[in-house]
Amino acid sequence: MAARARTNMAGLCSTALFMTLGACATTPPAQVPQAVVPAITPPQPDRWPAVQSRVADDPALALRVRELLGGMSLEEKVGQIIQPDIASITPAEVAQYKFGSILAGGNSAPGGNEKAPAAEWLKLADTYWKASDQARWNGPKIPLMWGIDAVHGHANVVGATIFPQNIGLGATRDPALMRRIGEVTAREMVITGIDWDFSPTLAVVRDDRWGRAYEGFSEDPSVVRSFAGEMVQGLQGRAGTPEFLGAGRVIATAKHFVGDGGTAGGKDQGDTLASPEELRDIHGAGYPPAIEAGVQAVMASFSSVRGEKVHGSSALLTDALKRDMGFSGLVVGDWNAHGQVPGCTNTSCPQSINAGLDMFMAPDSWKELYANTLAQVRSGAIPMARLDDAVGRILAVKLRAGLFSKGAPSARLLAGQVEQLGSAQHRAVAREAVRKSLVLLKNNGNLLPLSPGANILVAGDGADNIGKQSGGWTISWQGSGLTNADFPGATSIWKGIDAAVRSAGGRATLSADGSYKRKPDVAIVVFGEEPYAEFVGDRATLEFSPGDKTHLDLLRKFKAAGIPTVAVFLSGRPMWVNPELNMVDAFVAAFLPGSEGAGVADVLLRDARGQVAHDFQGKLSFSWPKRADGAPLNRGDEGYDPLFPFDYGLRYADRTVVSALAEDRPPPVPGGADGVFFGRGSLPPGWSWATSGQGLTVSSLDRRAQEDARRFRWTGASEAQAFIQTAAPIDLSRETTGELSLLVDYRVDERPSGAVNLAMNTASVPIAGVLRSAPIGQWRTLAVPLRCFARAGLDAKAVAVPAAIGTAGRLSLSISDVRVASAMINQDLCGQK
Ligand code: BGC
Ligand code: BGC
C-alpha cells in the first residue's frame, strides 16, 4: 500500500535509488502524511499491481551508487549499458570499452568450442574479468558481469546437470522442487564463473505452435505464478537473509516481459493482441511474485503488444514494470531486439533506452551501437538523467550481488570445483524432477506399471538419445546434432530401464528400429520431436511429425504382433498424436526430461521386490489437443474441448479407459510457416518451382507419398536452372545470424558432368563435389549454412529465390524437401570448390 501511494505521488521517483540520483530529490515520500495521499480505488485497468519486494530499500547502497556514478566518465557509463557476446568481443576490447557485461549466447563458448570443458569456461570468465579489472578506469573499477541461458540447468556446459524443460516442471506442480533446481543451477554456474542467469522464463503459453512453448511452465497464469518466485529464490537465495546473492548464488532474470507467450498464431517474436487486462492478469502473472522475491533483472520481450514492440514501449518498461510494480533492478534487452523497434537498427536505438531499457543485448552490434549511443547522450537524444538511472540500476544490481567484493570468478566459493558439476547429489534432484514431471495419458488395461522381470523391448529413436530427451538450449542453441558422448554422466531413458531391469534380474533389449528375435512380453517405444529453439520451433499445426510416420509404423507393427506397447513421447508441447494413442496401450507424455533419463524407469517399472516405488504424479499444465490444427486451446476458454484437460494425469489406481480416437488429419500444411519452402509435394501459397535455360525437364515422383518429390534432368544443352521463387521476398537475416542452414533433401540419379551451383537469390555455392560423391539412388540431405550465402553476397533481407540449382552439364537430381533449419554441418561448403 505504501509503495502504491508513493508511486502516485512521485511517479517515476518511487525507488529510494532513484531519489538519490538527484532527479527526484524534491519528493521525500517518508515525510508525506499518509492522509493526504489519495487512495486509488478502484485500480485502473491499465495499472499494474504495486509489489513490495523483499529486497529492502537500502539507503547506504543508494549512496554508494551515487558516489560511483559521480566518479564515472560518460564513456564508462555508456559502456555499462551495452552487453556484447563473447563470440564477437575479445577481453582486450572489453577492457578498452569498459563494458558492464558480456553474455554467452546459445552458440557461444570458450574458443568457439561448444564442448569446451568446464575448466575452460572458468578460465575464460577470469580472462574477461581481469581484463575489465585492469582497464584504465576514470574512478573506481566497475566489475564485469557475465550472463548466460542456464534455462534447464547450466546446460550450455558439457557435464552439467540438465533438468527437465519448464513444461515438464510445470507438470510436477511442485514449486518447492523448483527452488531446489534453482539452487543447483546456481551452484553449477558459479563453478564455471558465471554471475547471471537469463532465467526463469515466465511466458504464459497460449498457443502451443510457438517454438518456445516448452520454455514456459504452463498455459495457465496460476501455475506460472506459483513457480516464478521459487525459481528466483533458488537462483538468488532468499531476499532478506544472508543467502541472498551470497556464495553459490547468481542473479536471476524474469523473461520475456511481457506477452511473449501470447503472440498471434504462436509466431515467435510476433504480436500479442491481448487486452491490457489480459496482458497484466494472464501474461504478466509471474512478474509480481518474481519481483517480490527480489529478482534483479527483467528481460524485455522481442515481441510486440498490440502492434508496439516491447523494446520501444515506455508504457510497459517504465510505467508498468518500474513505476507500478516498483521493479528496482535492471531491464536487459534481448538479442539485438532493439533493432526491431521502428526507426531503430541493431546499432542505433535511443528509443529503447528512453522507453526504459537499461542494458542493450548487442551481441555483435556493440561497436557501432556504443559510438551511436555515446553520441546520442551527447546530443541529448538520450537524456543524461535516463542514462544515470540505467547505469545506477546496473550498479545497484552489481552491489547487491557482491560483485564489487567477490573478486575474480575463480576466487569465489565453489569456483573450479568441477567434480561438483553434475554431481550425484545434483543429478538426484533432476531425477526426482523427471519422475514428477511424467504425465500418464493412457493406461488401458493397466499395462503400467511393468514388471522388471518381463522380457522388455525398448525401441524408437528417442530411447537411447540424450540430445533428443533434452531439447533446445542444450550445449548449443538448437540442441541438435549431439550424441550421447556429449553428455558425460547423463543417462538415456534406455540406460535407466536397462539398469532397473538388470537389478531386478530381468532382461531388456534395445532395438531402435524395433526388430527382435524373441518376441518380447512388452515394448516401450520412445519417440518425439527433434530439438529446436525459438522461432526454429514454430509450427503451422500441432500434428506430430507430419512428414515422417516411421514411429507410427513401428507402433502398428507391435500392435499387429500382439505385443502390449507403452509409448514414451518426448516433446516440447502437447501435440496431436491420436493415431499413436490408438496404437498403444499406455502413453506417457515425458516432455523434455533432460540428462536423468533414469527417472522414467523409476516410474514405469515396479521395483525389484515387485512394489510400486513411484506412482505417476504429473498433471498437465497445458491442455492436450483434440484437433491437429493447433488452434489455441487453454483452460477457461469458451467451449473448451480438449482431448485431455488441464490438470489431467492418471495414477496407477485409476481405471480410466481411453477409447479409440478420431484420426482425421488436418489438410496438409502448405509450408512456409516452418521455414519449409518445399515439402510433402507442395510449396507455400505464392511460391512456385520454375526453370530457366534450355534442356532441363521436370517430372514428379514419389518418395514418402504420392508425387511428393520432383525430378530434374539437365541434358547439358545450355546453362539451365531449377529454382523456387516468390514475388514477395522474405527476410532471412535473423536466420542467417542464427546459424541456420538451407537444407535440401536430394537423390542423385545421374552424376553431374560439370560444375553445379546451389544459389540463394544469386549468391551461389558450388555443390558438384558433394553430388559427385553421393551414392546413386539414395536420399540424402545437403546442408549449406546461410552464412555461406551471406559470404557469397546474399542480401538476406530480401530473399525471393531461396534455392536455385544450376549447371551447364548433364545431371539428374531428385528433390523432396527444401527448408531452412538447424543442421549439423560436416562439410565446409563455404570453402569448397
Ligand atoms: C532469447 C533469449 C536469450 C538470449 C540470449 C535470445 O534470442 O530470446 O531468451 O536469453 O537470446 O541467448
Ligand atoms: C545465439 C542465441 C540467440 C540466437 C538468436 C544464436 O546464435 O546463440 O543465444 O538466442 O542466436 O538469433
Side-chain angles (χ1 to χ4, degrees):
M1 199 58 226
R4 164 60 67 90
R6 276 200 325 229
T7 293
N8 283 312
M9 292 289 301
L12 259 181
C13 312
S14 59
T15 66
L17 166 63
F18 206 102
M19 285 183 290
T20 61
L21 301 182
C24 312
T26 51
T27 315
Q31 288 155 31
V32 177
Q34 285 296 311
V36 307
V37 177
I40 333 155
T41 43
Q44 291 141 350
D46 56 350
R47 276 273 172 172
W48 287 55
V51 181
Q52 193 58 62
S53 165
R54 278 188 231 128
V55 179
D57 282 352
D58 179 350
L61 182 135
L63 185 66
R64 182 90 181 97
V65 167
R66 195 162 54 176
E67 283 168 8
L68 288 169
L69 272 174
M72 291 171 78
S73 67
L74 184 61
E75 289 79 2
E76 288 174 354
K77 289 178 182 176
V78 172
Q80 287 299 305
I81 69 167
I82 293 179
Q83 183 182 54
D85 183 283
I86 60 161
S88 307
I89 192 161
T90 64
E93 287 165 329
V94 166
Q96 184 190 340
Y97 290 86
K98 292 177 270 188
F99 286 120
S101 176
I102 50 171
L103 87 146
N107 284 335
S108 311
N113 173 16
E114 274 158 16
K115 298 168 190 174
E120 304 244 331
W121 286 85
L122 179 61
K123 211 168 109 200
L124 188 63
D126 258 10
T127 309
Y128 278 110
W129 190 91
K130 285 183 179 149
S132 155
D133 188 62
Q134 284 154 19
R136 292 181 37 199
W137 294 91
N138 191 53
K141 298 170 177 181
I142 312 294
L144 182 73
M145 174 164 78
W146 178 342
I148 201 164
D149 296 282
V151 294
H152 60 141
H154 194 19
N156 270 285
V157 178
V158 168
T161 307
I162 303 175
F163 292 93
Q165 300 273 6
N166 286 346
I167 188 172
L169 297 179
T172 69
R173 297 294 201 284
D174 187 349
L177 171 63
M178 191 72 230
R179 182 190 300 200
R180 287 154 59 210
I181 291 174
E183 282 168 7
V184 172
T185 303
R187 291 168 68 87
E188 298 208 348
M189 285 176 65
V190 171
I191 291 170
T192 63
I194 301 182
D195 315 285
W196 178 9
D197 193 358
F198 301 137
S199 167
T201 295
L202 301 180
V204 177
V205 180
R206 307 296 279 181
D207 190 319
D208 304 345
R209 292 170 293 187
W210 185 35
R212 309 190 77 161
Y214 65 84
E215 293 189 58
F217 295 112
S218 180
E219 69 188 28
D220 197 80
S222 65
V223 175
V224 176
R225 200 182 293 126
S226 70
F227 281 90
E230 296 294 334
M231 182 54 170
V232 169
Q233 297 188 59
L235 291 168
Q236 297 191 157
R238 275 166 305 175
T241 76
E243 62 180 45
F244 184 63
L245 293 169
R249 304 288 176 160
V250 297
I251 295 158
T253 310
K255 73 184 189 185
H256 309 82
F257 188 76
V258 60
D260 50 351
T263 57
K267 190 178 167 354
D268 193 41
Q269 307 182 13
D271 190 13
T272 296
L273 301 171
S275 70
E277 291 82 356
E278 287 165 340
L279 192 70
R280 181 192 62 200
D281 302 337
I282 297 177
H283 300 285
Y287 290 89
I291 293 170
E292 191 187 340
V295 73
Q296 290 296 297
V298 167
M299 188 183 290
S301 180
F302 260 119
S303 49
S304 306
V305 171
R306 294 185 300 277
E308 185 189 32
K309 281 281 165 190
V310 175
H311 273 69
S313 171
S314 61
L316 291 171
L317 300 183
T318 298
D319 299 351
L321 183 59
K322 294 178 177 174
R323 182 195 67 192
D324 293 355
M325 291 196 280
F327 173 64
S328 64
L330 69 91
V331 180
V332 64
D334 204 341
W335 190 272
N336 279 330
H338 54 270
Q340 297 186 18
V341 174
C344 290
T345 63
N346 290 357
T347 55
S348 170
C349 193
Q351 289 92 321
S352 276
I353 298 296
N354 290 341
L357 193 82
D358 300 313
M359 186 187 283
F360 288 115
M361 188 183 285
D364 50 357
S365 47
W366 54 268
K367 196 180 259 180
E368 268 186 78
L369 183 66
Y370 172 85
N372 289 331
T373 306
L374 189 60
Q376 286 150 1
V377 179
R378 289 203 172 114
S379 75
I382 295 174
M384 186 59 93
R386 178 71 269 273
L387 178 67
D388 280 345
D389 176 50
V391 177
R393 286 168 176 272
I394 294 165
L395 296 176
V397 170
K398 291 182 175 182
L399 283 165
R400 291 188 199 108
L403 294 182
F404 283 83
S405 54
K406 275 183 179 167
S410 64
R412 303 176 193 168
L413 208 74
L414 287 173
Q417 298 191 15
V418 293
E419 67 288 349
Q420 293 237 31
L421 191 84
S423 68
Q425 214 186 352
H426 293 177
R427 291 185 188 278
V429 178
R431 184 164 168 176
E432 175 184 343
V434 174
R435 287 198 291 267
K436 293 178 169 173
S437 68
L438 306 173
V439 180
L440 182 59
L441 299 182
K442 176 177 179 178
N443 194 20
N444 284 10
N446 293 82
L447 174 61
L448 292 174
L450 301 177
S451 155
N455 172 19
I456 302 176
L457 186 73
V458 182
D461 65 356
D464 194 25
N465 191 337
I466 302 170
K468 188 160 174 148
Q469 76 194 30
S470 297
W473 298 107
T474 303
I475 311 219
S476 68
W477 178 42
Q478 293 295 318
S480 37
L482 300 165
T483 71
N484 287 355
D486 299 320
F487 298 92
T491 308
S492 70
I493 293 173
W494 149 251
K495 279 275 154 54
I497 295 171
D498 186 42
V501 167
R502 267 172 210 270
S503 74
R507 175 196 142 107
T509 313
L510 174 68
S511 165
D513 67 1
S515 55
Y516 53 83
K517 288 200 191 83
R518 187 158 71 94
K519 186 177 163 188
D521 301 326
V522 60
I524 300 175
V525 184
V526 189
F527 61 96
E529 289 189 290
E530 291 302 326
Y532 51 78
E534 300 191 46
F535 52 90
V536 180
D538 286 357
R539 295 288 174 266
T541 76
L542 286 182
E543 178 181 359
F544 169 62
S545 190
D548 179 0
K549 299 289 180 191
T550 356
H551 63 283
L552 194 56
D553 295 340
L554 191 57
L555 300 180
R556 262 191 212 113
K557 190 181 103 176
F558 290 145
K559 178 140 186 124
I563 301 169
T565 301
V566 182
V568 175
F569 184 52
L570 301 170
S571 71
R573 50 188 138 211
M575 303 199 87
W576 185 79
V577 282
N578 286 8
E580 291 81 358
L581 276 158
N582 284 342
M583 280 301 136
V584 300
D585 304 275
F587 194 105
V588 178
F591 303 105
L592 298 166
S595 61
E596 304 317 301
V600 175
D602 287 347
V603 182
L604 259 48
L605 300 169
R606 292 178 187 277
D607 66 15
R609 289 162 300 136
Q611 305 295 311
V612 171
H614 303 281
D615 198 347
F616 278 90
Q617 210 173 302
K619 294 164 171 232
L620 291 178
S621 59
F622 287 70
S623 305
W624 203 278
K626 189 177 271 180
R627 287 165 38 180
D629 59 11
L633 169 73
N634 298 294
R635 169 161 94 148
D637 286 352
E638 232 181 278
Y640 182 59
D641 186 24
L643 180 60
F644 303 114
F646 178 87
D647 260 345
Y648 177 91
L650 300 176
R651 306 286 178 263
Y652 279 140
D654 290 328
R655 295 282 172 273
T656 309
V657 171
V658 176
S659 37
L661 304 165
E663 294 195 12
D664 343 287
R665 292 170 69 194
V669 185
D674 306 357
V676 176
F677 299 109
F678 177 56
R680 292 170 72 176
S682 68
L683 299 99
W687 294 75
S688 57
W689 275 109
T691 60
S692 67
Q694 304 300 309
L696 169 58
T697 58
V698 189
S699 56
S700 290
L701 87 157
D702 304 347
R703 181 186 175 188
R704 303 183 190 99
Q706 197 180 349
E707 302 208 351
D708 65 343
R710 301 271 190 287
R711 183 165 182 181
F712 302 95
R713 282 197 190 86
W714 283 263
T715 60
S718 80
E719 166 84 47
Q721 271 198 332
F723 53 96
I724 295 175
Q725 62 173 9
T726 178
I730 53 164
D731 183 355
L732 288 179
S733 44
R734 192 165 152 77
E735 284 76 359
T736 304
T737 55
E739 300 286 321
L740 298 186
S741 301
L742 177 69
L743 272 71
V744 179
D745 280 15
Y746 70 98
R747 188 183 75 186
V748 176
D749 300 312
E750 183 194 334
R751 295 217 165 86
S753 64
V756 185
N757 284 317
L758 172 62
M760 188 171 273
N761 284 355
T762 53
S764 76
V765 170
I767 57 166
V770 177
L771 300 185
R772 235 170 253 133
S773 58
I776 296 283
Q778 276 182 34
W779 286 100
R780 310 196 124 200
T781 303
L782 173 67
V784 181
L786 295 186
R787 69 184 141 74
C788 298
F789 296 112
R791 221 172 283 164
L794 173 72
D795 171 12
K797 281 202 166 341
V799 175
V801 176
I805 297 173
T807 181
R810 290 180 61 86
L811 169 68
S812 177
L813 188 70
S814 298
I815 292 180
S816 69
D817 293 86
V818 180
R819 63 205 183 275
V820 166
S822 163
M824 254 325 242
I825 309 297
N826 303 316
Q827 287 162 306
D828 182 14
L829 281 164
C830 298
Q832 196 184 319
K833 285 272 127 43

